[in-house]
Amino acid sequence: MIALTAIIRVQAGHEDTIKQELLKVAAYAAAEEPGTLGYYCGQDGEDPLVFTTYERFRDRAAMESHNGSETVAAFFAVAKPLLDGDPIIQVSEEIFASS
């Protein structure tokens, strides 16, 4: 299992746009990507300019398929000019999960 965590900081005033774009990616992953086993999006309660995703993939091929999708490309086409710096990305081999 592969887990990807992304921390995304947006410029002030663009929170709603990023939220809606992240929800589009999450909906696409849930409906169209069988190799994406979980997709969590969150917005920091103390700093609403910070968003986090936690994404779980069956394997690296599924992660690469997701990251190379038109949906992710469309997200970054909208998001890139609205971000405050590059996203922080951490890819890990999952060693434990609990539901």
Side-chain angles (χ1 to χ4, degrees):
M1 186 88 56
I2 302 295
L4 183 150
T5 302
I7 301 171
I8 302 165
R9 177 173 284 282
V10 64
Q11 297 171 29
H14 299 290
E15 303 91 332
D16 287 339
T17 300
I18 295 300
K19 182 189 300 185
Q20 293 309 311
E21 294 301 314
L22 283 171
L23 291 173
K24 288 178 188 177
V25 174
Y28 176 82
E32 303 295 333
E33 296 181 346
T36 301
L37 305 177
Y39 197 100
Y40 160 87
C41 296
Q43 185 175 17
D44 191 304
E46 294 181 17
D47 185 351
L49 301 178
V50 176
F51 292 84
T52 303
T53 70
Y54 181 73
E55 307 161 33
R56 298 177 73 224
F57 303 97
R58 178 179 52 234
D59 52 28
R60 270 194 198 275
M63 180 184 70
E64 290 169 4
S65 177
H66 168 78
N67 288 338
S69 72
E70 289 181 20
T71 300
V72 171
F75 167 78
F76 279 107
V78 171
K80 190 161 182 131
L82 308 180
L83 298 182
D84 184 8
D86 292 332
I88 298 169
I89 307 291
Q90 176 66 48
V91 176
S92 304
E93 295 281 342
E94 193 170 278
I95 59 172
F96 175 80
S98 178
S99 52

